[in-house]
Every structure is written in structure tokens, then in C-alpha cells.
Amino acid sequence: MRGGARTPILIGLALVMVMGIAVYFRLWLIDYRISSDEAELLRRQFDLANREAMEESADWRLRYDEEVKRASKCTEELIEIKKSLKKVEDAAGINKKLEILQKENMGLLVRVKSLKQEIEAEKSKCNAL
């Protein structure tokens, strides 16, 4: 009796275990398909995000290049302005030097004139003796 009562329970237990394993494999297969689809979806999303990042990077690089060009152009203009300003300052300095030399020249001309008069006076003294 004991051996006969256990056999149907063991068969039932084995049947339940086989059905459980079948359900487990079925769920695993469904999960694998979803995981495969998700992997493909993730790959597409990654590719899309990567393309967008590359486009944004290219955009920022373009902006950087434009700013470098503008900065170098401004630097060149500043250098040219400094050169022209230096030329103006040099011209102003030259004008001041010219004025000083003209004043010195006038003073020297006056001095030459007075010396000529002294020479004439000395000549007339020498001729009178």
C-alpha cells in the first residue's frame, strides 16, 4: 500500500516539474527575444545620440573657428592702429623738434647778424686808425 500510494504522487510531482521547466524555458525565450529587441533598440538610440553629438561637436568647432578668425582679424587691426598711432606720435615729435630747431636757427641768425655788426665795427675801427 505504501509503495502504490506514492507512485501517483511522484508521477504528478514529475509532471508538475516538467511543466514548470517548460514554462521557465518559455519565459526565458520571451525575455531573450525582448532583450534582443531591446539591444537593437539601444544600439539604434546610441547611434542616433552619437550622430547628434558629432553634429553638435562640429557646430561648436565651427563656432570656435569663426571666433578665432574674428579674434585674429581684430588683433591685426589693433596692430595696424597702433602702428598708425605711433606714426602720428612720431610726426608730432618731429614737428616739435622742427619748431625747436627753427627757434634755434632764428636765435643763431640773430647771433650771426650781431657778430657781423661787431665785425663791421671792428673793421671800421681798423680802417680809421
Side-chain angles (χ1 to χ4, degrees):
M1 274 203 219
R2 284 186 158 196
R6 287 187 178 191
T7 305
I9 292 175
L10 288 176
I11 292 175
L13 184 60
L15 186 62
V16 168
M17 285 181 68
V18 169
M19 287 176 58
I21 292 173
V23 168
Y24 173 77
F25 280 123
R26 181 72 177 161
L27 290 174
W28 180 79
L29 184 62
I30 291 170
D31 183 53
Y32 177 75
R33 286 183 190 161
I34 291 173
S35 296
S36 296
D37 292 341
E38 285 178 0
E40 184 63 31
L41 179 63
L42 287 174
R43 188 174 300 115
R44 287 182 195 155
Q45 288 176 347
F46 176 78
D47 289 342
L48 179 64
N50 190 29
R51 267 187 263 126
E52 289 175 356
M54 293 296 282
E55 289 173 2
E56 187 175 352
S57 175
D59 185 42
W60 281 105
R61 180 61 192 197
L62 180 64
R63 288 181 186 180
Y64 172 79
D65 290 341
E66 290 173 354
E67 288 298 320
V68 166
K69 286 179 185 176
R70 287 176 45 197
S72 63
K73 183 179 177 183
C74 289
T75 303
E76 290 173 5
E77 290 177 1
L78 183 61
I79 290 170
E80 289 178 20
I81 290 171
K82 284 183 178 180
K83 285 181 181 178
S84 65
L85 182 61
K86 188 174 182 181
K87 287 179 184 178
V88 169
E89 289 174 353
D90 289 345
I94 290 172
N95 287 339
K96 287 181 183 178
K97 287 180 183 178
L98 181 63
E99 289 176 13
I100 291 170
L101 289 175
Q102 284 176 347
K103 287 179 184 177
E104 286 180 13
N105 191 22
M106 293 293 252
L108 291 173
L109 287 174
V110 169
R111 179 88 170 119
V112 167
K113 192 174 184 180
S114 67
L115 288 174
K116 280 184 183 180
Q117 288 175 355
E118 286 181 26
I119 290 175
E120 288 296 323
E122 290 295 324
K123 277 185 185 178
S124 60
K125 283 183 187 177
C126 286
N127 286 339
L129 290 173

